[in-house]
Amino acid sequence: MASKVRGWLHYPTGLFIRDYLLEHGEAYPQEIWRALKEKRKSLGVAYGSVRSFHLNYIYVLKKLGLIQPVRRERVNPKWFPRTYYRIVPGMENSPLWSAPQIALDPRRGKPSIRRKYAKERAKKMVPKPITPEELERIWNAASAFLKEKGYIITREEFEIVKPEWPNEAGLYPTFEERVGYVIRQAAGIAYISRLARRLTSVEEAPEPFRSEAIKLGRTLEKEWLRRKG
C-alpha cells in the first residue's frame, strides 16, 4: 500500500484524494470534497467549490486512469444517483497523483505561465472592509428584493452558509452590485434549502438542482441590476 503523506504543505489535493480512497476503499466526489474542506478549514487554508473539485480533480483523475467508477447509489428519487469511485488497481503509487492537472496538460506547469498568473493577481487591489452600517444596508436591500420574489432567508442563516460574504461583497465596486451579489448567493441557498428541507449550501447540492440554484441566483441578480440601472 502507498504510504500516506503527512503535513498540509506537502499534501497536494491529488494525494489527499488518493489517501482518502486508500482508507475508505471507495467514495463519491462530494464525500471526498467535504473531507477535504474540513481538513483545510481546520488548518485555515482556503478551499474551492465542489464544482471546481469535480472539474479539476475527479474529471482529471478519471482521464489519467487513476480512478474508476464502481457503483451508483440513489439516495433521493428527485436527485441524480451518487457515483462511487475507487483507485484503479496498480495505480496507488503512480507519480501522477502529485500534480494531476500538469500530468494531463504539461503547459499548466510552465514557470512562464505561473509567473504571468502571479503578476495578474498581484495587480488586483485588496478592497477596503465594508463598514457594519454598509453591510446592514446591503442586506436589507437584498432581503427586501428576495422577499418580493418569494425567497425568504434570514441574515443569520445566510451567514451560517456564507460567512465570508462581507469580504466577497467588497470585491464589487458599487452598492447595487454588492446587493446583487448577495441576492445571487442568498437566492441559491434559499432555493436549495427549501428543496432539502434544511439549511444547506448550493455547492453541496447534487445536479441538476445545483445548476438550477445558480441559474436562479444569476437571473434575480440581473433583474435587480436592471431595475437599478
Side-chain angles (χ1 to χ4, degrees):
M1 179 180 290
S3 60
K4 293 188 178 182
V5 181
R6 300 185 184 278
W8 179 256
L9 292 177
H10 306 285
Y11 206 168
T13 300
L15 292 179
F16 179 92
I17 296 170
R18 183 202 66 174
D19 290 350
Y20 190 90
L21 290 174
L22 284 173
E23 180 178 351
H24 295 83
E26 61 181 42
Y28 59 96
Q30 280 183 294
E31 173 189 346
I32 305 172
W33 174 77
R34 290 193 190 106
L36 175 66
K37 181 176 73 170
E38 291 304 313
K39 178 66 174 179
R40 290 196 170 189
K41 284 175 67 175
S42 69
L43 296 170
V45 179
Y47 56 88
S49 67
V50 68
R51 179 175 177 80
S52 173
F53 182 77
H54 270 273
L55 293 175
N56 289 307
Y57 289 97
I58 300 302
Y59 170 78
V60 172
L61 294 175
K62 284 195 295 182
K63 291 282 287 185
L64 292 173
L66 295 175
I67 62 174
Q68 61 185 189
V70 290
R71 65 185 178 92
R72 306 183 81 187
E73 177 185 57
R74 186 176 292 277
V75 295
N76 188 315
K78 295 182 179 180
W79 294 355
F80 286 121
R82 294 170 175 169
T83 300
Y84 285 76
Y85 292 89
R86 70 176 181 184
I87 296 174
V88 173
M91 299 302 289
E92 294 85 354
N93 292 301
S94 171
L96 302 179
W97 291 100
S98 296
Q101 291 90 359
I102 295 175
L104 187 64
D105 183 1
R107 293 174 299 175
R108 298 182 68 169
K110 284 186 176 181
S112 59
I113 296 177
R114 294 200 303 270
R115 285 196 297 269
K116 180 180 179 181
Y117 177 72
K119 287 181 180 179
E120 290 175 351
R121 292 196 64 182
K123 291 178 182 177
K124 295 182 179 179
M125 298 292 291
V126 178
K128 293 182 179 179
I130 303 176
T131 65
E133 294 77 16
E134 180 75 358
L135 290 174
E136 185 71 17
R137 287 183 60 227
I138 292 170
W139 175 257
N140 288 341
S143 179
F145 180 83
L146 289 170
K147 286 180 181 178
E148 176 188 326
K149 298 299 177 180
Y151 295 96
I152 309 298
I153 181 172
T154 67
R155 181 171 175 177
E156 180 182 8
E157 290 171 332
F158 182 60
E159 291 181 343
I160 289 174
V161 179
K162 203 75 177 173
E164 69 277 14
W165 82 269
N167 292 330
E168 292 188 356
L171 297 173
Y172 295 84
T174 68
F175 173 79
E176 288 74 17
E177 289 175 300
R178 291 170 178 177
V179 174
Y181 157 81
V182 173
I183 289 171
R184 169 163 43 91
Q185 298 293 335
I189 294 169
Y191 176 78
I192 288 298
S193 297
R194 181 186 297 175
L195 291 176
R197 297 184 180 180
R198 63 181 178 86
L199 185 63
T200 187
S201 68
V202 174
E203 289 79 7
E204 293 179 340
E207 293 292 357
F209 305 106
R210 185 189 310 119
S211 295
E212 290 174 359
I214 292 172
K215 183 178 180 180
L216 169 68
R218 289 173 177 168
T219 299
L220 293 181
E221 178 187 28
K222 289 178 181 178
E223 182 177 341
W224 161 263
L225 292 174
R226 282 197 302 268
R227 181 183 297 185
K228 295 299 176 179

PDB file of all heavy atoms in Angstrom, residues 152-175:
ATOM      1  N   ILE A 152     -37.299  33.521   1.143  1.00  0.00           N
ATOM      2  CA  ILE A 152     -37.093  34.017   2.497  1.00  0.00           C
ATOM      3  C   ILE A 152     -35.869  33.337   3.107  1.00  0.00           C
ATOM      4  O   ILE A 152     -35.783  32.106   3.154  1.00  0.00           O
ATOM      5  CB  ILE A 152     -38.319  33.746   3.390  1.00  0.00           C
ATOM      6  CG1 ILE A 152     -39.596  34.254   2.707  1.00  0.00           C
ATOM      7  CG2 ILE A 152     -38.123  34.375   4.754  1.00  0.00           C
ATOM      8  CD1 ILE A 152     -39.608  35.745   2.458  1.00  0.00           C
ATOM      9  N   ILE A 153     -34.934  34.137   3.552  1.00  0.00           N
ATOM     10  CA  ILE A 153     -33.764  33.632   4.261  1.00  0.00           C
ATOM     11  C   ILE A 153     -33.295  34.734   5.203  1.00  0.00           C
ATOM     12  O   ILE A 153     -33.242  35.907   4.826  1.00  0.00           O
ATOM     13  CB  ILE A 153     -32.633  33.217   3.292  1.00  0.00           C
ATOM     14  CG1 ILE A 153     -31.427  32.658   4.073  1.00  0.00           C
ATOM     15  CG2 ILE A 153     -32.223  34.356   2.386  1.00  0.00           C
ATOM     16  CD1 ILE A 153     -30.359  32.045   3.185  1.00  0.00           C
ATOM     17  N   THR A 154     -33.001  34.376   6.437  1.00  0.00           N
ATOM     18  CA  THR A 154     -32.552  35.379   7.400  1.00  0.00           C
ATOM     19  C   THR A 154     -31.061  35.640   7.227  1.00  0.00           C
ATOM     20  O   THR A 154     -30.330  34.818   6.654  1.00  0.00           O
ATOM     21  CB  THR A 154     -32.815  34.922   8.838  1.00  0.00           C
ATOM     22  OG1 THR A 154     -31.973  33.789   9.128  1.00  0.00           O
ATOM     23  CG2 THR A 154     -34.280  34.534   9.032  1.00  0.00           C
ATOM     24  N   ARG A 155     -30.636  36.759   7.745  1.00  0.00           N
ATOM     25  CA  ARG A 155     -29.207  37.071   7.667  1.00  0.00           C
ATOM     26  C   ARG A 155     -28.391  36.049   8.452  1.00  0.00           C
ATOM     27  O   ARG A 155     -27.298  35.650   8.024  1.00  0.00           O
ATOM     28  CB  ARG A 155     -28.944  38.482   8.200  1.00  0.00           C
ATOM     29  CG  ARG A 155     -27.474  38.889   8.129  1.00  0.00           C
ATOM     30  CD  ARG A 155     -27.270  40.351   8.448  1.00  0.00           C
ATOM     31  NE  ARG A 155     -25.858  40.685   8.483  1.00  0.00           N
ATOM     32  CZ  ARG A 155     -25.376  41.904   8.687  1.00  0.00           C
ATOM     33  NH1 ARG A 155     -26.219  42.916   8.867  1.00  0.00           N
ATOM     34  NH2 ARG A 155     -24.078  42.131   8.713  1.00  0.00           N
ATOM     35  N   GLU A 156     -28.921  35.617   9.573  1.00  0.00           N
ATOM     36  CA  GLU A 156     -28.215  34.612  10.379  1.00  0.00           C
ATOM     37  C   GLU A 156     -28.023  33.319   9.591  1.00  0.00           C
ATOM     38  O   GLU A 156     -26.931  32.732   9.591  1.00  0.00           O
ATOM     39  CB  GLU A 156     -28.996  34.327  11.661  1.00  0.00           C
ATOM     40  CG  GLU A 156     -28.328  33.301  12.563  1.00  0.00           C
ATOM     41  CD  GLU A 156     -29.137  33.002  13.806  1.00  0.00           C
ATOM     42  OE1 GLU A 156     -30.290  33.474  13.900  1.00  0.00           O
ATOM     43  OE2 GLU A 156     -28.623  32.292  14.684  1.00  0.00           O
ATOM     44  N   GLU A 157     -29.073  32.875   8.906  1.00  0.00           N
ATOM     45  CA  GLU A 157     -28.972  31.659   8.096  1.00  0.00           C
ATOM     46  C   GLU A 157     -27.971  31.849   6.962  1.00  0.00           C
ATOM     47  O   GLU A 157     -27.162  30.958   6.671  1.00  0.00           O
ATOM     48  CB  GLU A 157     -30.346  31.304   7.529  1.00  0.00           C
ATOM     49  CG  GLU A 157     -31.338  30.828   8.575  1.00  0.00           C
ATOM     50  CD  GLU A 157     -32.741  30.687   8.024  1.00  0.00           C
ATOM     51  OE1 GLU A 157     -33.084  31.411   7.055  1.00  0.00           O
ATOM     52  OE2 GLU A 157     -33.509  29.871   8.561  1.00  0.00           O
ATOM     53  N   PHE A 158     -28.041  33.004   6.327  1.00  0.00           N
ATOM     54  CA  PHE A 158     -27.127  33.288   5.215  1.00  0.00           C
ATOM     55  C   PHE A 158     -25.678  33.255   5.681  1.00  0.00           C
ATOM     56  O   PHE A 158     -24.805  32.699   5.013  1.00  0.00           O
ATOM     57  CB  PHE A 158     -27.470  34.651   4.618  1.00  0.00           C
ATOM     58  CG  PHE A 158     -26.628  35.027   3.430  1.00  0.00           C
ATOM     59  CD1 PHE A 158     -26.621  34.250   2.286  1.00  0.00           C
ATOM     60  CD2 PHE A 158     -25.841  36.172   3.457  1.00  0.00           C
ATOM     61  CE1 PHE A 158     -25.844  34.602   1.178  1.00  0.00           C
ATOM     62  CE2 PHE A 158     -25.062  36.532   2.368  1.00  0.00           C
ATOM     63  CZ  PHE A 158     -25.065  35.746   1.229  1.00  0.00           C
ATOM     64  N   GLU A 159     -25.415  33.823   6.848  1.00  0.00           N
ATOM     65  CA  GLU A 159     -24.043  33.903   7.334  1.00  0.00           C
ATOM     66  C   GLU A 159     -23.530  32.564   7.855  1.00  0.00           C
ATOM     67  O   GLU A 159     -22.323  32.354   7.929  1.00  0.00           O
ATOM     68  CB  GLU A 159     -23.940  34.983   8.405  1.00  0.00           C
ATOM     69  CG  GLU A 159     -24.116  36.380   7.812  1.00  0.00           C
ATOM     70  CD  GLU A 159     -24.010  37.500   8.830  1.00  0.00           C
ATOM     71  OE1 GLU A 159     -24.120  37.203  10.045  1.00  0.00           O
ATOM     72  OE2 GLU A 159     -23.819  38.658   8.415  1.00  0.00           O
ATOM     73  N   ILE A 160     -24.431  31.656   8.206  1.00  0.00           N
ATOM     74  CA  ILE A 160     -24.002  30.304   8.572  1.00  0.00           C
ATOM     75  C   ILE A 160     -23.431  29.596   7.347  1.00  0.00           C
ATOM     76  O   ILE A 160     -22.393  28.932   7.413  1.00  0.00           O
ATOM     77  CB  ILE A 160     -25.182  29.498   9.157  1.00  0.00           C
ATOM     78  CG1 ILE A 160     -25.545  30.032  10.548  1.00  0.00           C
ATOM     79  CG2 ILE A 160     -24.839  28.008   9.241  1.00  0.00           C
ATOM     80  CD1 ILE A 160     -26.789  29.407  11.139  1.00  0.00           C
ATOM     81  N   VAL A 161     -24.107  29.755   6.221  1.00  0.00           N
ATOM     82  CA  VAL A 161     -23.678  29.096   4.987  1.00  0.00           C
ATOM     83  C   VAL A 161     -22.583  29.889   4.281  1.00  0.00           C
ATOM     84  O   VAL A 161     -21.667  29.316   3.693  1.00  0.00           O
ATOM     85  CB  VAL A 161     -24.883  28.904   4.039  1.00  0.00           C
ATOM     86  CG1 VAL A 161     -24.445  28.228   2.740  1.00  0.00           C
ATOM     87  CG2 VAL A 161     -25.962  28.076   4.711  1.00  0.00           C
ATOM     88  N   LYS A 162     -22.668  31.210   4.349  1.00  0.00           N
ATOM     89  CA  LYS A 162     -21.753  32.076   3.598  1.00  0.00           C
ATOM     90  C   LYS A 162     -21.097  33.081   4.539  1.00  0.00           C
ATOM     91  O   LYS A 162     -21.284  34.296   4.416  1.00  0.00           O
ATOM     92  CB  LYS A 162     -22.544  32.804   2.504  1.00  0.00           C
ATOM     93  CG  LYS A 162     -21.710  33.285   1.340  1.00  0.00           C
ATOM     94  CD  LYS A 162     -21.304  32.148   0.432  1.00  0.00           C
ATOM     95  CE  LYS A 162     -20.522  32.689  -0.760  1.00  0.00           C
ATOM     96  NZ  LYS A 162     -19.967  31.598  -1.575  1.00  0.00           N
ATOM     97  N   PRO A 163     -20.273  32.628   5.484  1.00  0.00           N
ATOM     98  CA  PRO A 163     -19.684  33.559   6.455  1.00  0.00           C
ATOM     99  C   PRO A 163     -18.720  34.563   5.829  1.00  0.00           C
ATOM    100  O   PRO A 163     -18.451  35.611   6.410  1.00  0.00           O
ATOM    101  CB  PRO A 163     -18.959  32.625   7.435  1.00  0.00           C
ATOM    102  CG  PRO A 163     -18.677  31.393   6.646  1.00  0.00           C
ATOM    103  CD  PRO A 163     -19.849  31.239   5.725  1.00  0.00           C
ATOM    104  N   GLU A 164     -18.216  34.239   4.650  1.00  0.00           N
ATOM    105  CA  GLU A 164     -17.235  35.118   4.006  1.00  0.00           C
ATOM    106  C   GLU A 164     -17.878  36.203   3.148  1.00  0.00           C
ATOM    107  O   GLU A 164     -17.180  36.949   2.456  1.00  0.00           O
ATOM    108  CB  GLU A 164     -16.284  34.285   3.136  1.00  0.00           C
ATOM    109  CG  GLU A 164     -16.905  33.657   1.891  1.00  0.00           C
ATOM    110  CD  GLU A 164     -17.626  32.342   2.155  1.00  0.00           C
ATOM    111  OE1 GLU A 164     -17.882  32.028   3.340  1.00  0.00           O
ATOM    112  OE2 GLU A 164     -17.936  31.636   1.185  1.00  0.00           O
ATOM    113  N   TRP A 165     -19.197  36.339   3.192  1.00  0.00           N
ATOM    114  CA  TRP A 165     -19.870  37.244   2.265  1.00  0.00           C
ATOM    115  C   TRP A 165     -19.442  38.705   2.398  1.00  0.00           C
ATOM    116  O   TRP A 165     -19.366  39.403   1.373  1.00  0.00           O
ATOM    117  CB  TRP A 165     -21.388  37.102   2.372  1.00  0.00           C
ATOM    118  CG  TRP A 165     -22.076  37.836   3.484  1.00  0.00           C
ATOM    119  CD1 TRP A 165     -22.346  37.367   4.731  1.00  0.00           C
ATOM    120  CD2 TRP A 165     -22.612  39.165   3.439  1.00  0.00           C
ATOM    121  NE1 TRP A 165     -23.007  38.304   5.472  1.00  0.00           N
ATOM    122  CE2 TRP A 165     -23.188  39.427   4.708  1.00  0.00           C
ATOM    123  CE3 TRP A 165     -22.669  40.160   2.470  1.00  0.00           C
ATOM    124  CZ2 TRP A 165     -23.800  40.633   5.020  1.00  0.00           C
ATOM    125  CZ3 TRP A 165     -23.281  41.366   2.778  1.00  0.00           C
ATOM    126  CH2 TRP A 165     -23.834  41.598   4.037  1.00  0.00           C
ATOM    127  N   PRO A 166     -19.145  39.238   3.597  1.00  0.00           N
ATOM    128  CA  PRO A 166     -18.715  40.642   3.646  1.00  0.00           C
ATOM    129  C   PRO A 166     -17.450  40.910   2.826  1.00  0.00           C
ATOM    130  O   PRO A 166     -17.338  41.943   2.158  1.00  0.00           O
ATOM    131  CB  PRO A 166     -18.476  40.880   5.138  1.00  0.00           C
ATOM    132  CG  PRO A 166     -19.370  39.899   5.821  1.00  0.00           C
ATOM    133  CD  PRO A 166     -19.304  38.683   4.961  1.00  0.00           C
ATOM    134  N   ASN A 167     -16.504  39.971   2.870  1.00  0.00           N
ATOM    135  CA  ASN A 167     -15.274  40.143   2.096  1.00  0.00           C
ATOM    136  C   ASN A 167     -15.537  40.016   0.600  1.00  0.00           C
ATOM    137  O   ASN A 167     -15.000  40.784  -0.208  1.00  0.00           O
ATOM    138  CB  ASN A 167     -14.231  39.113   2.530  1.00  0.00           C
ATOM    139  CG  ASN A 167     -13.733  39.352   3.936  1.00  0.00           C
ATOM    140  OD1 ASN A 167     -13.684  40.486   4.405  1.00  0.00           O
ATOM    141  ND2 ASN A 167     -13.370  38.286   4.629  1.00  0.00           N
ATOM    142  N   GLU A 168     -16.357  39.046   0.232  1.00  0.00           N
ATOM    143  CA  GLU A 168     -16.640  38.845  -1.187  1.00  0.00           C
ATOM    144  C   GLU A 168     -17.468  39.994  -1.756  1.00  0.00           C
ATOM    145  O   GLU A 168     -17.251  40.417  -2.894  1.00  0.00           O
ATOM    146  CB  GLU A 168     -17.355  37.509  -1.391  1.00  0.00           C
ATOM    147  CG  GLU A 168     -16.457  36.310  -1.089  1.00  0.00           C
ATOM    148  CD  GLU A 168     -17.098  34.994  -1.465  1.00  0.00           C
ATOM    149  OE1 GLU A 168     -18.280  34.994  -1.889  1.00  0.00           O
ATOM    150  OE2 GLU A 168     -16.424  33.961  -1.337  1.00  0.00           O
ATOM    151  N   ALA A 169     -18.403  40.498  -0.971  1.00  0.00           N
ATOM    152  CA  ALA A 169     -19.200  41.638  -1.440  1.00  0.00           C
ATOM    153  C   ALA A 169     -18.313  42.856  -1.670  1.00  0.00           C
ATOM    154  O   ALA A 169     -18.567  43.669  -2.567  1.00  0.00           O
ATOM    155  CB  ALA A 169     -20.296  41.964  -0.422  1.00  0.00           C
ATOM    156  N   GLY A 170     -17.256  42.974  -0.862  1.00  0.00           N
ATOM    157  CA  GLY A 170     -16.345  44.103  -1.002  1.00  0.00           C
ATOM    158  C   GLY A 170     -15.568  44.115  -2.302  1.00  0.00           C
ATOM    159  O   GLY A 170     -14.954  45.131  -2.658  1.00  0.00           O
ATOM    160  N   LEU A 171     -15.573  42.999  -3.022  1.00  0.00           N
ATOM    161  CA  LEU A 171     -14.884  42.944  -4.309  1.00  0.00           C
ATOM    162  C   LEU A 171     -15.653  43.679  -5.403  1.00  0.00           C
ATOM    163  O   LEU A 171     -15.106  43.949  -6.471  1.00  0.00           O
ATOM    164  CB  LEU A 171     -14.668  41.482  -4.727  1.00  0.00           C
ATOM    165  CG  LEU A 171     -13.780  40.639  -3.800  1.00  0.00           C
ATOM    166  CD1 LEU A 171     -13.795  39.187  -4.242  1.00  0.00           C
ATOM    167  CD2 LEU A 171     -12.357  41.172  -3.795  1.00  0.00           C
ATOM    168  N   TYR A 172     -16.920  43.986  -5.136  1.00  0.00           N
ATOM    169  CA  TYR A 172     -17.743  44.693  -6.121  1.00  0.00           C
ATOM    170  C   TYR A 172     -17.680  46.195  -5.839  1.00  0.00           C
ATOM    171  O   TYR A 172     -17.754  46.620  -4.688  1.00  0.00           O
ATOM    172  CB  TYR A 172     -19.182  44.183  -6.068  1.00  0.00           C
ATOM    173  CG  TYR A 172     -19.306  42.740  -6.485  1.00  0.00           C
ATOM    174  CD1 TYR A 172     -19.082  41.710  -5.571  1.00  0.00           C
ATOM    175  CD2 TYR A 172     -19.612  42.399  -7.795  1.00  0.00           C
ATOM    176  CE1 TYR A 172     -19.169  40.378  -5.946  1.00  0.00           C
ATOM    177  CE2 TYR A 172     -19.710  41.069  -8.184  1.00  0.00           C
ATOM    178  CZ  TYR A 172     -19.482  40.067  -7.254  1.00  0.00           C
ATOM    179  OH  TYR A 172     -19.562  38.743  -7.631  1.00  0.00           O
ATOM    180  N   PRO A 173     -17.567  47.012  -6.872  1.00  0.00           N
ATOM    181  CA  PRO A 173     -17.294  48.437  -6.662  1.00  0.00           C
ATOM    182  C   PRO A 173     -18.481  49.276  -6.193  1.00  0.00           C
ATOM    183  O   PRO A 173     -18.291  50.282  -5.520  1.00  0.00           O
ATOM    184  CB  PRO A 173     -16.810  48.904  -8.041  1.00  0.00           C
ATOM    185  CG  PRO A 173     -17.439  47.951  -9.007  1.00  0.00           C
ATOM    186  CD  PRO A 173     -17.485  46.639  -8.295  1.00  0.00           C
ATOM    187  N   THR A 174     -19.702  48.899  -6.557  1.00  0.00           N
ATOM    188  CA  THR A 174     -20.850  49.748  -6.238  1.00  0.00           C
ATOM    189  C   THR A 174     -21.803  49.063  -5.264  1.00  0.00           C
ATOM    190  O   THR A 174     -21.807  47.833  -5.128  1.00  0.00           O
ATOM    191  CB  THR A 174     -21.636  50.114  -7.509  1.00  0.00           C
ATOM    192  OG1 THR A 174     -22.270  48.931  -8.035  1.00  0.00           O
ATOM    193  CG2 THR A 174     -20.712  50.706  -8.567  1.00  0.00           C
ATOM    194  N   PHE A 175     -22.622  49.876  -4.631  1.00  0.00           N
ATOM    195  CA  PHE A 175     -23.623  49.359  -3.696  1.00  0.00           C
ATOM    196  C   PHE A 175     -24.581  48.406  -4.405  1.00  0.00           C
ATOM    197  O   PHE A 175     -24.904  47.329  -3.892  1.00  0.00           O
ATOM    198  CB  PHE A 175     -24.397  50.526  -3.077  1.00  0.00           C
ATOM    199  CG  PHE A 175     -25.560  50.099  -2.223  1.00  0.00           C
ATOM    200  CD1 PHE A 175     -25.363  49.651  -0.927  1.00  0.00           C
ATOM    201  CD2 PHE A 175     -26.858  50.147  -2.725  1.00  0.00           C
ATOM    202  CE1 PHE A 175     -26.437  49.252  -0.140  1.00  0.00           C
ATOM    203  CE2 PHE A 175     -27.931  49.752  -1.948  1.00  0.00           C
ATOM    204  CZ  PHE A 175     -27.723  49.303  -0.651  1.00  0.00           C
TER     205      PHE A 175
END
